[in-house]
Amino acid sequence: MADYKMLINGELVDAKETFDVINPATGKAFAKAPHCDAADVDAAVAAAVAAYPSWRDTPIEERRACWEKALGVLAEHKNAITELLCKEQGKPKGGETPEREYVGASLEYNITLGCIKKALAINPEPLLHMERPEAQVEVCRRPLGAVAGIGPWNFPILCMFQKVAPAVVLGNTFVGKPSPFTPLSTLAIVALIKDCFPKGVLNMITADDSKFRAGAQLTAHPDIRKVSFTGSVPTGKAIMKACSDDVKRMTLEMGGNDAAIVRGDVDVKKAAAGVFGGAFANTGQVCVAVKRAYVHSSIYDEFVKELVKNAEEAKFGDGMEATTMYGPLNNKMQFDKVCEFVEDAKKNGAKIETGGKPMDRDGYFYEPTIVSGVKEGFRIVDEEQFGPVLPVIPYDDDEDALARANGTKYGLGGSVWSSDIEVANKMAARMESGTVWVNEHLGDTDGAPFGGMKHRAVPLCPPRCLLCLSSSPFPAPTTRC
């Protein structure tokens, strides 16, 4: 097994213990990651704090140059990183052909580098807020200090470096902690680029959360000025409480239970393919994926048949196989949750149109599943399944569909599907979600603000540049003679 190390103060360091990292395609350990202790967390934060004054005062052109150098290094190691990402996360490796550059780990790698490039384009120059003969007021962006980022297991490198790149280029120093289910690709990347930055600017620790809650110590640390978190709602709530002790800034991006409303005037085949893609991308492990579909009763049966056809044609398998489009669930915990949700639906009278059980193979594979005969009150409708299962619910009236789509504590994303764009746009404007698409779901929003309503995200922020994660608006009035 390869030897993976943490990055603290510019040095690759071991921990006193390690923990197994499981390949979800086999259910077996394939590598070990360092398991940090409290002293390691404190050392990483101390390194970031010590590096901050000098890094803050480094001209932004030089900070950008560090990232340009890092991008050059990463461009030479794509195959190794995507293979590692495939093995620890389960998604298809991709990249075998030009067509598969936009599949799985290859797609995530490409988007991650694109996010870093977007961060380099951020312009933190003062904005002229007011000007009059005797004075002017400028709004300036200032770095915060040592900031922390905690990443998820569904898009481990993308979500981590969406936090790292803007924070660091804007003059902050950084301590990161990836998910214990997917720590290796992040550790591999920081090991490759560590010499592109001064010591202490970038730090990365890992831990088995079942043994030591390193993230809890990191977020509560008095020297951390800001926390950016992507992950589960319970953990997000715990971080919110920890940050309240010293009124620490935070950004939380948590789960969703996105509704797709499909009106009766759609091209059924085309819309079903779109909804299926929006629901099953990354094997359904996307915070803003379609989690429930409300379909007009006039096309319901035909639409369900098309969804079933898409599911039965979907190529699930080991991500290292060149024909795979969908991999396993990432971990046993999530696999068990999906099994539990589907069994609960069956017990309460739901109809499994296709799928509905684990695949007969090693690993955490679950059949792509379409469920009918469900409504509000079923766990599969009310809660986020985060897996390859889609409940499909008929409706007769647009107002009823909107009320049911909005009738939840979730409010991350949603979509409306219709051939009448005017009607669809009006309905979309009434969906209580941070992002609403029309006639697509998961489409690229090119850096538009991303967040949610209700319990799902705090605050609303641009995901591709994340300026608000990394700097603080600080009015700086100046007097002009």
Side-chain angles (χ1 to χ4, degrees), residues 209-358:
D209 291 344
S210 67
K211 296 180 180 179
F212 169 55
R213 307 292 290 186
Q217 180 178 337
L218 180 61
T219 55
H221 201 291
D223 291 334
I224 290 294
R225 301 287 183 82
K226 170 82 185 247
V227 176
S228 174
F229 167 77
T230 305
S232 72
V233 174
T235 303
K237 288 181 177 180
I239 289 173
M240 198 173 214
K241 291 177 182 178
C243 289
S244 69
D245 286 343
D246 55 358
V247 201
K248 194 180 273 103
R249 290 175 174 86
M250 61 185 168
T251 299
L252 309 178
E253 196 278 281
M254 299 174 284
N257 192 14
D258 291 21
I261 299 176
V262 184
R263 301 185 73 244
D265 59 0
V266 298
D267 178 321
V268 171
K269 185 174 183 178
K270 183 177 180 181
V275 170
F276 183 88
F280 287 79
N282 205 40
T283 314
Q285 300 166 119
V286 182
C287 60
V288 74
V290 176
K291 306 290 171 41
R292 51 200 168 111
Y294 293 92
V295 179
H296 195 272
S297 56
S298 64
I299 60 167
Y300 181 82
D301 290 342
E302 183 184 0
F303 198 88
V304 168
K305 288 179 181 178
E306 284 295 329
L307 288 174
V308 169
K309 182 180 178 182
N310 277 273
E312 293 178 346
E313 292 176 351
K315 295 180 179 179
F316 278 67
D318 189 321
M320 291 302 294
E321 297 171 0
T323 58
T324 294
M325 293 300 294
Y326 303 92
L329 289 157
N330 172 257
N331 56 76
K332 183 67 162 53
M333 175 186 68
Q334 193 60 32
F335 175 81
D336 289 344
K337 180 180 179 181
V338 170
C339 291
E340 182 182 331
F341 274 33
V342 176
E343 290 306 310
D344 177 77
K346 291 178 184 178
K347 180 181 177 181
N348 287 284
K351 180 181 179 182
I352 304 301
E353 299 285 348
T354 188
K357 62 183 185 297

Side-chain angles (χ1 to χ4, degrees), residues 359-376:
M359 292 184 178
D360 186 17
R361 59 181 295 169
D362 291 337
Y364 307 134
F365 289 92
Y366 198 90
E367 293 179 349
T369 300
I370 305 298
V371 185
S372 63
V374 294
K375 60 183 180 180
E376 290 75 17

Side-chain angles (χ1 to χ4, degrees), residues 168-180:
V168 170
V169 79
L170 288 171
N172 301 278
T173 53
F174 194 90
V175 182
K177 180 194 169 295
S179 165

Side-chain angles (χ1 to χ4, degrees), residues 94-130:
E96 300 91 348
T97 64
E99 293 79 12
R100 285 178 63 83
E101 280 295 313
Y102 302 97
V103 172
S106 178
L107 174 62
E108 181 174 347
Y109 190 88
N110 292 338
I111 296 176
T112 300
L113 268 60
C115 287
I116 294 173
K117 293 175 182 177
K118 282 181 178 286
L120 301 188
I122 296 173
N123 182 6
E125 292 298 317
L127 300 175
L128 183 60
H129 177 71
M130 181 273 290

Side-chain angles (χ1 to χ4, degrees), residues 21-26 30 81-93 104-105 108 152-158 179-185 281-286 317-320 325-332 334 364-365 386:
V21 180
I22 306 299
N23 182 339
T26 65
F30 78 100
I81 297 298
T82 54
E83 181 174 329
L84 186 57
L85 180 56
C86 167
K87 288 180 178 178
E88 68 173 347
Q89 203 285 327
K91 63 184 64 183
K93 177 179 178 292
E108 181 174 347
W153 47 258
N154 58 336
F155 292 97
I157 63 172
L158 173 59
S179 165
F181 294 116
T182 54
L184 304 180
S185 49
N282 205 40
T283 314
Q285 300 166 119
V286 182
D318 189 321
M320 291 302 294
M325 293 300 294
Y326 303 92
L329 289 157
N330 172 257
N331 56 76
K332 183 67 162 53
Q334 193 60 32
Y364 307 134
F365 289 92
F386 217 66

